[in-house]
Amino acid sequence: MEPLGKDAGTAGGASPSLGPVGPEAAAAPQPPTHAPASLAKLAFGALGIVYGDIGTSPLYAVKECVAMPHGVPPTAPNVLGLLSLIFWSLTFVVTIKYLYFVMRADNEGEGGVLALMALVARRKGKANARWTPRLVLLGLFGAALLYGDGVITPAISVLSAVEGLEVATSTFNSIVVPLTCVILVALFWAQKGGTARIASVFAPVTLAWFLAIAAMGLPWVLHAPAILGAVNPIHAVRFFSAHGGHGFLVLGSVVLCVTGGEALYADMGHFGTPAIRRAWIVCVFPALLINYFGQGALLLARPWAAANPFYALVPTPLLIPMVALATAATVVASQALISGVFSLTRQAVQLGYLPRVTVVHTSARTEGQIYIPEVNWLLMAACVLLVIGFKESTRLAAAYGIAVTGTMAITSILFAVHARREWGWSRARAGALLALFLAFDLS
């Protein structure tokens, strides 16, 4: 696909505006509605761009929860409690928080922490004058964290993928870092083809991944259907009652199941809210739940599989093909944040917080599908330097978690302010929802 056009963004001193908001927004152009066939195509493309990151969380989320010494033994009460926490985290953070609430706060179809900050900053009035600069600063800090996420996610995803090949063979031990760097360079080189072209390649891989992880987990769920009882939140309550402060620390591993949630909001402009919602409900959410519950059922039958419950689901003859598919899927996982950083950069330029850059539009139908060469090559250099400097994915994990959950928490705060200012929510209503959001984000 050849670039359809370019613009140089907005000069640094431009007015911080992405479009009309507030009472005058009623006359603003509405996002185009998509025919069912077009919506299905966009939803399919969203699989590869938006859901790669959160889709590969089963590789490590359950494993980290039962890994000693910081995890808990895979006893029946612990497994049911962990699965309950995972189920309600996915349901509340992704389905309710992002897909139902936060993605309603779009700025002419664009999402992300900067778009939300712009919505909050435009509200005038004496009561808002004191807090608006602080909220803008908070939004900019959230954008900085999202840039950090955009650098760390490709590095940790591709590095962990290449490390995963060691499960099948030790041949790659000496070339993990060089091979990772080669894959990263190829990934960023492919960005100039545009989101649509990348999605056409990545979406089938991601669909195959979701079908595979569901197929791996389903036999174990059918073997022990009682594992589905974990949807009862009483198991999560009992888990915390039994483990106290240590259970709260384990929740830091549970939150790995929602890494990539912020990408849903940041990538709104690439595919639109309806397509992202449909892909989650029809494919991603069911596949993730089946695999997580399958890992739980496996741990109940084989507690010794706690060292790597994901790969323990795989029959031995299929191990090497599954490692290869996991490698491809984790490479795809980095795309969600790369696309999100492109959208974030264009918003920052339009708001006057970054100098002008070259914005290449790569789609005639979807205005939000863009490519920014300067940002692309800077991201590539930063990712390669991270891999060379850290050498192991585990050394990046702490920074990864801080970047992800920090951005989510800031998004929650800005959304509550926007709901109160623009939608007229009461202080009690906005505060109660914010408290629920932060309970997950800050844990």
Side-chain angles (χ1 to χ4, degrees):
M1 177 186 297
E2 293 298 323
L4 298 175
K6 23 173 109 170
D7 61 74
T10 305
S15 173
S17 175
L18 293 178
V21 178
E24 66 273 19
Q30 299 299 313
T33 56
H34 298 283
S38 176
L39 182 59
K41 184 177 180 180
L42 285 171
F44 179 62
L47 286 178
I49 301 298
V50 178
Y51 288 111
D53 192 3
I54 198 171
T56 53
S57 295
L59 280 166
Y60 46 80
V62 175
K63 174 184 175 181
E64 291 300 317
C65 291
V66 295
M68 305 307 284
H70 60 274
V72 293
T75 62
N78 287 343
V79 169
L80 289 173
L82 290 171
L83 288 179
S84 184
L85 289 170
I86 289 174
F87 172 79
W88 287 106
S89 293
L90 287 170
T91 300
F92 189 81
V93 175
V94 180
T95 307
I96 297 177
K97 174 184 172 180
Y98 278 101
L99 294 183
Y100 184 77
F101 283 105
V102 175
M103 292 182 73
R104 293 164 59 192
D106 69 282
N107 200 335
E108 292 194 313
E110 291 286 350
V113 66
L114 275 186
L116 189 54
M117 182 203 72
L119 292 172
V120 170
R122 287 186 192 143
R123 187 69 174 179
K124 305 299 181 182
K126 292 182 179 180
N128 302 322
R130 183 180 64 174
W131 287 102
T132 295
R134 302 176 188 180
L135 293 170
V136 168
L137 186 61
L138 188 65
L140 292 177
F141 184 67
L145 286 174
L146 192 57
Y147 271 107
D149 196 3
V151 173
I152 297 171
T153 296
I156 196 173
S157 297
V158 179
L159 186 56
S160 63
V162 178
E163 290 172 345
L165 292 175
E166 296 174 353
V167 174
T169 175
S170 60
T171 305
F172 290 94
N173 289 351
S174 61
I175 61 170
V176 166
V177 172
L179 183 58
T180 299
C181 293
V182 169
I183 294 173
L184 282 172
V185 171
L187 174 63
F188 282 98
W189 183 264
Q191 298 300 316
K192 62 182 179 179
T195 307
R197 175 180 289 184
I198 296 171
S200 68
V201 176
F202 282 177
V205 173
T206 312
L207 179 60
W209 169 255
F210 284 123
L211 293 176
I213 65 173
M216 287 165 48
L218 186 59
W220 287 95
V221 174
L222 296 177
H223 178 73
I227 198 70
L228 297 176
V231 300
N232 188 340
I234 193 65
H235 291 290
V237 175
R238 290 172 178 169
F239 179 84
F240 283 116
S241 298
H243 295 283
H246 183 68
F248 190 75
L249 292 177
V250 174
L251 193 57
S253 297
V254 172
V255 79
L256 291 173
C257 73
V258 296
T259 56
E262 186 68 23
L264 277 67
Y265 190 36
D267 287 335
M268 275 179 62
H270 289 262
F271 296 97
T273 302
I276 293 174
R277 284 175 175 166
R278 176 168 294 190
W280 172 257
I281 297 298
V282 173
C283 178
V284 181
F285 194 33
L288 289 176
L289 290 181
I290 291 172
N291 188 267
Y292 281 127
F293 278 82
Q295 290 189 50
L298 169 74
L299 288 174
L300 292 181
R302 303 176 182 176
W304 59 87
N308 201 325
F310 178 84
Y311 281 111
L313 290 173
V314 186
T316 302
L318 298 178
L319 180 60
I320 292 179
M322 193 62 203
V323 170
L325 180 58
T327 301
T330 49
V331 170
V332 172
S334 63
Q335 185 60 48
L337 269 299
I338 295 174
S339 301
V341 167
F342 288 161
S343 297
L344 185 71
T345 300
R346 183 173 66 166
Q347 293 171 29
V349 171
Q350 291 174 326
L351 290 166
Y353 295 115
L354 281 179
R356 58 177 62 187
V357 292
T358 304
V359 179
V360 181
H361 296 270
T362 58
S363 173
R365 296 183 177 180
T366 306
E367 195 270 341
Q369 293 189 6
I370 59 174
Y371 165 69
I372 303 177
E374 299 95 329
V375 172
N376 186 64
W377 303 125
L378 285 172
L379 272 181
M380 184 193 75
C383 289
V384 170
L385 288 174
L386 274 183
V387 172
I388 294 173
F390 284 85
K391 293 183 174 62
E392 295 179 9
S393 59
T394 53
R395 297 178 180 175
L396 285 166
Y400 183 44
I402 292 171
V404 171
T405 56
T407 307
M408 286 184 172
I410 291 172
T411 297
S412 297
I413 295 171
L414 293 177
F415 174 80
V417 174
H418 173 70
R420 178 155 170 73
R421 290 184 178 183
E422 295 291 339
W423 299 340
W425 285 20
S426 67
R427 183 174 299 177
R429 182 183 181 188
L433 191 63
L434 175 61
L436 285 174
F437 286 170
L438 292 181
F440 284 86
D441 297 336
L442 298 180
S443 59

